[in-house]
Amino acid sequence: MKLNYKRTILVGFAFFLISAFWQAYDATIPVILTNKFGMSQTWSGVIMALDNILAVFMLPVFGALSDKCKTRYGKRTPFITIGTVLAAAAILCLSFVDNMQLKNIADVATIDDPQAMAVIYDLQADKSLLTPEGDTVVLSEEFTKEEFVAITCKITDPATGKTITNPDYTNYVAPARQACAAQATRQNTMPLILFVILLLVVLLSMATFRSPAVALMPDVTVKPLRSKANAIINLMGTAGGILVLVLGMVFATSAVQNALMSYTVYYGVIAAIMLGALAIFLSTVREPKWAEEMAADSIKYGIEEKQEESGAKRELSASEKRSLLLILASIALWYFGYNAVTSKYAVYAGNILDKDYNTTMLLAQGAAIVSYVPSGNIASRIGRKKTILAGVVMLATAFTVAAFMRAESPTWMMNAMFALAGVAWATINVNSFPMVVEMCSGGDVGKYTGFYYTASMSAQIATPMLSGFLMDKMGMTVLFPYAAIFVALAFVTMSLVKHGDAKVLAKKGLEALDIDD
């Protein structure tokens, strides 16, 4: 047996477009909510958590529904097609509502325009300008009107000669403009109402096909090769995210002067990327044919019994059920640790380490990318459980060492720990999903994919709140010990798992010479 890399890459275009969407969504929606609608960080965070909350309930449902779907295009393809088209259309419509709000805040929407600065100052002077929290913005105590109007978002640092963001701009202009946006939103709530409605349409559309899209890989890949295939799927997802990151650089979506930009063209390009990836997927992927071939190969190699060929379901034994629950618990636990770090490290790096968080996060991502395929190959030789346990040990080690590091610690050491964390995360992530679907029959892949996402999404909802609460109560330095403890607990639960590894098949004839088996 050899993995068909071409087929796996083509199947991966579904995950490619999903990752492209979420990269754009996570990068721009919080900016729109805070800068244009004037929302507080708290309410913006609540709305941003909606996708994870919806995912907990909807991904298992649509995964199970796709298991029961029977069309000439297959079980998963209809969900992927309809969901992608709806999401692409909805995100483009979202930009039109965003433009409505830009008109709503037209008086103060121009970055660094003297007239806009004067409007902001005058609104504050008559005490009508309130922050999203209800506090009055005080500018007159710090600046005369002329001084405030003269503030620009870029100045030259006399010490280095480099162009930097003016601290006065960051501390006064941006919050004042946000307060103006909040006031405009209170006076005309229709754009916000439409924006939230469309946001729900976008999230519901994405939720309809995430589980079916991910379940397609096991549908067309025999069980022993799923770790290798999942590595390719993860690489495709990473490629989608990187493409959108490059687009963000081209459109300068993170630039201060573009804080109130129109996203119509940007979202149009994102929608085009999604539909382009869908077109490649639909024109190349033959889901029913490939699924039938996988079922035939599974019977041929003794991986599945003949009665499972048609997708019939089987009951798990008591031992298998226990292993499934332990795997799901392990998934939740390592997400509790890992996601706490990824969601809080930007704040931690600035306050505790006095370091740029971008470098370390980029190193972690780069290390993960180069580790996806090797970790899948290693698992095919020593088993998924052993590979995951090794990854858990590496991740716990990285977080434990990082817990002792401070601003005076060598930068290279923190970089090394994040690189180690990236390798560890790839090792865990590539092999955990195949372990979940290893125990199900062909008729339940979508359902079990939903179980996987329920465990991971639940942790991602809870851990930012729990870790944030502990950081408020015990200090920021609790972050890495917190993460290390949860990852260590995952080692305990994972070590108790008895099922989920691929069957090791005897090599016969010429197949024994196939080193890719």
Side-chain angles (χ1 to χ4, degrees):
M1 286 186 301
K2 291 182 67 175
L3 179 66
N4 190 320
Y5 285 95
K6 179 181 177 181
R7 284 189 180 183
T8 306
I9 289 171
L10 294 173
V11 167
F13 271 99
F15 197 57
F16 173 93
L17 70 88
I18 290 173
S19 297
F21 168 85
W22 286 117
Q23 182 64 52
Y25 179 92
D26 290 337
T28 59
I29 297 300
V31 175
I32 292 173
L33 292 173
T34 54
N35 289 353
K36 296 179 182 177
F37 290 100
M39 278 193 180
S40 66
Q41 292 294 336
T42 299
W43 279 108
S44 172
V46 169
I47 290 179
M48 290 304 294
L50 281 177
D51 63 301
N52 286 335
I53 294 170
L54 287 172
V56 168
F57 300 102
M58 295 188 65
L59 295 189
V61 172
F62 281 99
L65 285 175
S66 68
D67 285 335
K68 299 175 183 178
C69 180
K70 294 181 180 179
T71 74
R72 66 191 184 96
Y73 302 105
K75 297 189 293 186
R76 321 297 180 188
T77 299
F79 288 87
I80 295 169
T81 303
I82 295 171
T84 301
V85 171
L86 287 176
I91 196 171
L92 189 57
C93 291
L94 206 62
S95 72
F96 300 147
V97 179
D98 175 54
N99 289 338
M100 286 176 58
Q101 180 63 6
L102 278 177
K103 292 181 180 178
N104 201 28
I105 59 174
D107 287 342
V108 293
T110 306
I111 300 284
D112 303 328
D113 178 73
Q115 186 176 358
M117 298 296 104
V119 171
I120 292 173
Y121 194 91
D122 290 339
L123 284 170
Q124 178 274 328
D126 64 15
K127 304 301 182 185
S128 62
L129 188 59
L130 298 176
T131 67
E133 291 78 17
D135 300 324
T136 302
V137 176
V138 179
L139 301 175
S140 57
E141 295 179 3
E142 303 292 337
F143 306 97
T144 65
K145 185 174 181 177
E146 290 73 19
E147 289 172 337
F148 183 74
V149 170
I151 292 176
T152 59
C153 65
K154 295 292 182 181
I155 61 173
T156 300
D157 184 355
T160 63
K162 294 181 179 179
T163 301
I164 62 172
T165 299
N166 188 337
D168 288 338
Y169 179 92
T170 303
N171 295 330
Y172 297 101
V173 177
R177 186 185 292 110
Q178 184 183 0
C180 285
Q183 183 188 52
T185 302
R186 287 191 292 268
Q187 292 172 348
N188 180 9
T189 59
M190 184 54 64
L192 178 60
I193 293 171
L194 291 175
F195 191 85
V196 172
I197 290 172
L198 276 172
L199 209 59
L200 286 172
V201 173
V202 169
L203 295 177
L204 290 171
S205 300
M206 294 300 297
T208 60
F209 75 96
R210 188 187 297 187
S211 285
V214 175
L216 182 57
M217 181 276 288
D219 282 345
V220 300
T221 308
V222 292
K223 289 183 174 180
L225 300 179
R226 286 176 182 172
S227 285
K228 288 184 178 181
N230 201 38
I232 302 301
I233 297 297
N234 275 276
L235 282 174
M236 289 296 292
T238 301
I242 290 174
L243 176 59
V244 174
L245 282 174
V246 172
L247 279 174
M249 295 171 64
V250 171
F251 282 89
T253 55
S254 62
V256 173
Q257 63 269 26
N258 286 339
L260 298 175
M261 68 180 284
S262 169
Y263 287 100
T264 300
V265 177
Y266 177 74
Y267 281 170
V269 174
I270 298 301
I273 289 172
M274 294 174 67
L275 294 175
L278 176 65
I280 295 172
F281 175 88
L282 292 176
S283 63
T284 57
V285 173
R286 302 289 177 261
E287 181 190 338
K289 179 176 180 291
W290 295 356
E292 288 175 4
E293 291 177 0
M294 188 281 292
D297 285 342
S298 295
I299 295 168
K300 174 183 176 181
Y301 292 107
I303 301 165
E304 297 279 11
E305 299 297 330
K306 191 168 184 177
Q307 61 265 28
E308 292 192 49
E309 180 180 7
S310 62
K313 301 175 183 178
R314 70 179 180 86
E315 289 293 325
L316 297 182
S317 67
S319 177
E320 287 174 323
K321 289 179 180 177
R322 182 170 178 269
S323 287
L324 176 61
L325 292 174
L326 286 168
I327 293 171
L328 294 175
S330 301
I331 291 167
L333 287 168
W334 60 57
Y335 265 99
F336 259 94
Y338 183 80
N339 193 251
V341 172
T342 57
S343 63
K344 301 293 183 183
Y345 182 67
V347 176
Y348 185 94
N351 288 275
I352 303 299
L353 300 177
D354 193 24
K355 289 178 173 59
D356 179 10
Y357 73 93
N358 288 299
T359 302
T360 43
M361 296 301 289
L362 189 61
L363 278 170
Q365 188 176 29
I369 289 171
V370 299
S371 302
Y372 283 139
V373 173
S375 63
N377 291 335
I378 291 170
S380 68
R381 287 163 172 75
I382 69 172
R384 293 170 185 149
K385 177 182 173 180
K386 290 179 180 178
T387 306
I388 289 175
L389 287 174
V392 171
V393 170
M394 287 190 289
L395 191 60
T397 300
F399 289 163
T400 300
V401 174
F404 293 96
M405 301 197 66
R406 298 295 182 266
E408 63 275 11
S409 302
T411 299
W412 67 265
M413 186 175 291
M414 180 57 86
N415 290 342
M417 289 305 101
F418 265 76
L420 179 62
V423 173
W425 188 245
T427 303
I428 294 168
N429 207 30
V430 162
N431 295 294
S432 53
F433 172 66
M435 285 197 78
V436 173
V437 295
E438 179 75 22
M439 289 182 282
C440 70
S441 58
D444 273 335
V445 172
K447 176 182 174 183
Y448 279 64
T449 301
F451 290 161
Y452 172 85
Y453 276 116
T454 296
S456 61
M457 291 295 181
S458 297
Q460 291 178 75
I461 292 169
T463 197
M465 294 185 287
L466 179 57
S467 60
F469 173 79
L470 292 176
M471 289 168 74
D472 286 338
K473 296 295 182 182
M474 303 172 65
M476 286 192 178
T477 54
V478 77
L479 176 62
F480 280 102
Y482 168 97
I485 289 170
F486 274 104
V487 174
L489 289 173
F491 183 91
V492 176
T493 54
M494 195 67 207
S495 64
L496 300 174
V497 171
K498 303 298 181 184
H499 301 272
D501 259 321
K503 294 179 181 178
V504 179
L505 304 176
K507 297 181 180 180
K508 299 177 181 178
L510 293 176
E511 191 182 4
L513 301 176
D514 182 4
I515 61 173
D516 290 328
D517 195 340

